[in-house]
Amino acid sequence: MNKWMELADQVLEGKEVTNEEALSILECPDDDVLLLMHGAFQIRKKYYGKKVKLNMIMNAKSGICPENCGYCSQSSISTAPINTYRMVNKDTILEGAKRAHDLNVGTYCIVASGRGPSNKEVDHVVEAVKEIKDSYGLKICACLGLLKPEQAKRLKEAGVDRYNHNINTSASNHANITTSHTYDDRVNTVEMVKESGMSPCSGVIVGMKETKQDVVDMANSLKALDADSIPVNFLHAIDGTPLQGVKELNPLYCLKVLALFRFINPTKEIRISGGREVNLRSLQPFGLYAANSVFVGDYLTTAGQEESDDYKMLRDLGFEVESVEEMKALLAAEK
């Protein structure tokens, strides 16, 4: 038995991955990556079988953000030529939900730029979410920035199932990425989400000049936070941002990162997220041997690949999309 299968068996028996073992995953020889992914798949298969969860983003408010995040084309310091607009109207949010439903996407993510939402913006999202729940029964994830406790409560009461707030990077690398808010600000928002009763979603962006130890620390931090859903983004460096031109990643390393997150967070939803098309490239299908979830369609200010290509990829893998009806049943069981 290869070492990665042995480690997978140990994880399935309840063993936690040591720091040394975690680093060895990221340093796995390229020739052994298929063995590594086979080990990761044993864990993924135990908890999720061959099901894949689909997620779709609605960029409900773009740009106009006072923060200085170095990766983001919507930040106050970005000169990237993007569309900027205030919160879209309710009908636009509902149209996005219908499209997600028609494409058999289980989770619809309403995302708004900014440090945090105004109460008026929360009112707007609450109104839209109630109609989406009545019309389509989709799982709703909101991503609106730093929250106040009363805002989190209102979103939960309206039917928001999950709230996303990424830690993005490690605590030690955070100040190299942004100084307009702290790492603890992000952690505190995730904790507030948990207290409200919404499911916590928090992930990372890999490829922002961090060390391998930083990547291990990210995976362990999300384990400590007990995030239910972990989006793993790979930096798609955008011209006009401080990280423009940064291209540290290659497809095999991205696979090692996904395997690492599966080994450290065996029971959690691991989602291949932004930047997969430009960083995993032709190896995208292999990523789903570790991850069990994927975004389809476009991202916030960058384009994704055609949804039809994603469905073909899943079919070619012999994987099965978790249907909207299955998602509804899971949500009902959770309540």
Side-chain angles (χ1 to χ4, degrees), residues 70-73 80 204-208 232-249 254 273-280 298-305:
Y71 54 83
C72 185
S73 60
V204 300
I205 305 172
V206 177
M208 299 195 295
V232 179
N233 298 275
F234 299 103
L235 180 67
H236 182 175
I238 298 172
D239 289 347
T241 65
L243 288 171
Q244 71 175 36
V246 175
K247 294 181 180 179
E248 298 187 331
L249 304 175
C254 292
S273 301
R276 66 178 167 99
E277 296 87 352
V278 297
N279 288 291
L280 279 162
D298 295 337
Y299 302 100
L300 295 176
T301 63
T302 57
Q305 68 184 23

Side-chain angles (χ1 to χ4, degrees), residues 176-190:
N176 297 325
I177 304 303
T178 180
T179 56
S180 54
H181 58 267
T182 67
Y183 180 83
D184 287 343
D185 287 334
R186 289 188 168 272
V187 169
N188 291 340
T189 292
V190 178

Side-chain angles (χ1 to χ4, degrees), residues 223-235:
K223 181 180 180 68
L225 271 174
D226 199 24
D228 293 330
S229 178
I230 301 174
V232 179
N233 298 275
F234 299 103
L235 180 67

Side-chain angles (χ1 to χ4, degrees), residues 53-107:
K53 298 174 184 288
L54 300 185
N55 301 254
M56 180 175 284
I57 288 176
M58 157 57 67
N59 191 10
K61 177 186 173 187
S62 180
I64 326 169
C65 181
E67 303 297 285
N68 65 359
C69 304
Y71 54 83
C72 185
S73 60
Q74 304 184 76
S75 78
S76 61
I77 58 173
S78 169
T79 60
I82 63 166
N83 292 326
T84 61
Y85 47 85
R86 299 287 179 182
M87 188 74 78
V88 299
N89 61 39
K90 185 177 68 175
D91 286 346
T92 301
I93 297 175
L94 292 172
E95 287 168 8
K98 181 181 186 305
R99 184 162 183 267
H101 181 271
D102 291 347
L103 287 170
N104 206 28
V105 171
T107 302

Side-chain angles (χ1 to χ4, degrees), residues 2 8 18 83 94 96 126 152 162 169 194 200-201 226 233 279 286 306 323 326 329:
N2 75 72
T18 67
N83 292 326
L94 292 172
V126 161
R162 174 171 287 169
T169 192
K194 290 160 64 175
C201 173
D226 199 24
N233 298 275
N279 288 291
F286 289 101
E306 289 293 325
S323 71
E326 286 175 314

